[in-house]
């Protein structure tokens, strides 16, 4: 099996929340008109997905809206409690 190669100049590596030497690499390939998402485990590429550049804005929007919803939920879950009349001891 071939070991991981360096990323192209326009790319990034993200670590999997589960650990286990899992990573996702994102790399731009302008010459081919795609962004490549590749899943790696212990330095070996397990699979790739070639996303056409025209689909990148929709992909980003899905990530952005999910992040926004996650932040809204955290703000709701951890918002300071405002006492109401029902909270007061009689």
């Amino acid at each position: 099996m071939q070991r991981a190669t360096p990323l192209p100049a326009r790319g990034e590596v993200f670590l999997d929340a589960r650990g286990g030497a899992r990573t996702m690499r994102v790399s731009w390939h302008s010459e081919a008109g795609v962004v490549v998402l590749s899943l790696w485990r212990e330095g070996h590429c397990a699979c790739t997905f070639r996303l056409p550049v025209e689909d990148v804005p929709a992909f980003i929007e899905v990530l952005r809206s999910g992040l926004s919803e996650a932040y809204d939920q955290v703000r709701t879950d951890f918002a300071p409690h405002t006492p109401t009349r029902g909270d007061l001891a009689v």
Side-chain angles (χ1 to χ4, degrees):
M1 291 189 149
Q2 188 175 18
R3 299 297 295 173
T5 57
L7 276 172
R10 308 263 319 166
E12 188 62 68
V13 175
F14 299 92
L15 302 178
D16 190 298
R18 297 171 293 181
R22 296 177 183 101
T23 59
M24 179 177 71
R25 291 172 55 165
V26 179
S27 56
W28 279 94
H29 294 272
S30 300
E31 75 288 352
V34 297
V35 173
V36 176
L37 306 168
S38 54
L39 301 178
W40 294 73
R41 187 161 191 175
E42 298 176 357
H44 299 280
C45 183
C47 65
T48 62
F49 183 89
R50 298 171 72 84
L51 183 66
V53 293
E54 59 269 13
D55 293 339
V56 171
F59 182 73
I60 291 170
E61 176 56 25
V62 167
L63 296 174
R64 190 215 53 79
S65 68
L67 183 60
S68 179
E69 288 175 21
Y71 279 144
D72 289 345
Q73 186 61 48
V74 167
R75 281 192 292 267
T76 300
D77 291 347
F78 294 102
H81 177 69
T82 303
T84 63
R85 296 192 112 213
D87 293 333
L88 301 175
V90 179

